[in-house]
Amino acid sequence: MAEPVVRIPDAKVALSTASVYPESTATAFEIAARLGYDGVEVMVWNDPVSQDIDALRRLSDHHRIPILAVHAPCLLITQRVWSTDPWTKLQRARAAAEKLGASTVVVHPPFRWQRQYARDFVTGIWRMADETDVRFAVENMYPWRYRDREMLAYAPDWDVTKDDYRHFTIDLSHASTARADAMQMVDRMADRLGHVHLADGNGSAKDEHLVPGRGSQPCAQLLERLALTGFDGHVVIEVNTRRAMSGAEREADLAEALAFTRLHLASPSAPSSASSSARRFQAASPAPPASPTAAPPPESSSTSPGPSASDGSSGPAMPSSRSSSPKSPAGFRRPKARRR
């Protein structure tokens, strides 16, 4: 029997509830179900529903959309959500994930002024990871910049690959803001890459979170690499739609992001066919999933998502144009993970 032309990994495509800001957590479930996402990632923030396990379970059951990940309340605006103690926040995020059937808790590295928390963070995350089947996937961040000044706001480091964690989250918008090479960061994460926040960026000092394909980040290249390597985590669309002029415009952006992700998350079955397959993909015209309220994608995009916005950087900036067609990825071999 001939090999299939393409293969699609087991990775599910989820919608971050932050992607519908300023709309509510409940609206995110409704949109995710209508557009055909595989699940949602709940951003725990100031919306009371995002903090309420029973309310989240009812939304999941009503819309028949699973909760795949929980983003712990690590932002400046969530300092008092689920306690002021950062370890208590992580314990509650783990408990929420376990009760809701989510496989991953996304966590940011500490702020530098959280000295004791930062000092114990790496060993503490290992300890918590040993106590559960839920993945604690630590997310890459970025330096804060203002004009020609740079502030290192995170400890032990904004580049989480410099420390030893069991699982990582790669966020391409954060890599763009850090002006880091996202694919080199993925190489360093190797087989401990457990979670993806998919969004684009143009290298601005502001955390842009553009719809994939509208910036300069290797969104397509990363997705195709994940397909080639059999990635078994989740790909989460975490984009900003807060400047959408209507609900239809917001849904069009989220439909476009989903179509882009599904298109490039299919990979040639053999590396030798990558070039011809990539040409075929680029020639295709991805259509957004059917939606009763969907509208054609707007020409301009918005910037960083509301509840997960910059954590201290300056305000959003609009991109000047969409990027050109993405390049086809080279073959990729995962190095062995470091031992504890």
Side-chain angles (χ1 to χ4, degrees):
M1 182 181 294
E3 287 190 4
V5 176
V6 296
R7 62 180 178 186
I8 300 174
D10 292 334
K12 290 182 169 58
V13 183
L15 179 66
S16 168
T17 59
S19 295
V20 305
Y21 183 84
E23 297 292 340
S24 67
T25 300
T27 300
F29 278 83
E30 180 184 346
I31 292 175
R34 183 159 57 243
L35 295 184
Y37 279 83
D38 297 321
V40 299
E41 174 179 298
V42 173
M43 169 67 76
V44 180
W45 69 297
N46 296 335
D47 181 349
V49 171
S50 74
Q51 305 169 31
D52 187 330
I53 293 173
D54 291 334
L56 292 170
R57 185 182 289 112
R58 287 194 296 270
L59 283 170
S60 178
D61 291 344
H62 177 73
H63 293 288
R64 298 182 181 180
I65 190 91
I67 297 169
L68 302 179
V70 173
H71 195 310
C74 304
L75 310 174
L76 283 174
I77 63 171
T78 60
Q79 290 184 84
R80 297 187 177 277
V81 173
W82 281 358
S83 167
T84 57
D85 176 65
W87 290 114
T88 300
K89 292 173 185 286
L90 295 191
Q91 290 165 359
R92 292 191 64 172
R94 179 190 67 191
E98 290 171 342
K99 291 176 181 177
L100 294 168
S103 64
T104 303
V105 167
V106 180
V107 56
H108 292 180
F111 293 113
R112 189 166 292 275
W113 54 84
Q114 297 175 299
R115 294 181 182 178
Q116 185 62 48
Y117 178 47
R119 187 159 42 244
D120 299 335
F121 184 69
V122 178
T123 56
I125 289 293
W126 271 103
R127 183 181 64 253
M128 294 189 72
D130 285 338
E131 296 170 350
T132 181
D133 291 331
V134 172
R135 293 178 173 180
F136 280 88
V138 186
E139 183 174 5
N140 62 299
M141 298 304 292
Y142 46 84
W144 292 359
R145 295 190 181 93
Y146 180 70
R147 295 182 179 174
D148 58 347
R149 300 181 64 183
E150 183 175 288
M151 174 184 173
L152 300 179
Y154 298 97
D157 204 283
W158 63 264
D159 182 353
V160 294
T161 64
K162 292 182 178 180
D163 292 288
D164 186 23
Y165 301 107
R166 181 172 293 172
H167 292 106
F168 294 106
T169 296
I170 183 70
D171 185 304
L172 270 68
S173 179
H174 294 176
S176 174
T177 303
R179 296 165 191 168
D181 187 311
M183 298 309 290
Q184 288 183 9
M185 188 172 286
V186 168
D187 287 342
R188 294 194 297 273
M189 291 177 175
D191 57 0
R192 289 185 292 171
L193 174 61
H195 201 67
V196 174
H197 279 173
L198 192 68
D200 219 326
N202 283 312
S204 168
K206 301 148 188 172
D207 187 16
E208 297 171 284
H209 284 270
L210 308 180
V211 170
R214 297 186 185 179
S216 59
Q217 289 302 291
C219 296
Q221 184 180 355
L222 172 61
L223 291 169
E224 291 172 10
R225 179 177 292 192
L226 295 178
L228 284 168
T229 55
F231 178 69
D232 64 352
H234 304 313
V235 177
V236 178
I237 303 300
E238 190 184 70
V239 298
N240 172 33
T241 63
R242 65 181 175 181
R243 292 193 178 182
M245 300 302 292
S246 65
E249 186 176 315
R250 174 173 290 108
E251 288 198 27
D253 281 351
L254 298 178
E256 179 184 334
L258 178 61
F260 180 100
T261 304
R262 293 213 189 280
L263 177 70
H264 293 286
L265 201 54
S267 167
S269 59
S272 60
S273 63
S275 296
S276 60
S277 188
R279 286 194 295 270
R280 184 177 64 257
F281 289 149
Q282 290 171 7
S285 178
S291 167
T293 57
E299 290 303 314
S300 62
S301 63
S302 23
T303 53
S304 70
S308 58
S310 315
D311 282 344
S313 67
S314 53
M318 298 295 287
S320 57
S321 64
R322 301 191 187 190
S323 64
S324 58
S325 296
K327 297 179 180 179
S328 188
F332 173 65
R333 297 174 61 191
R334 292 178 173 171
K336 294 182 179 178
R338 292 172 289 173
R339 293 183 179 273
R340 244 181 105 182

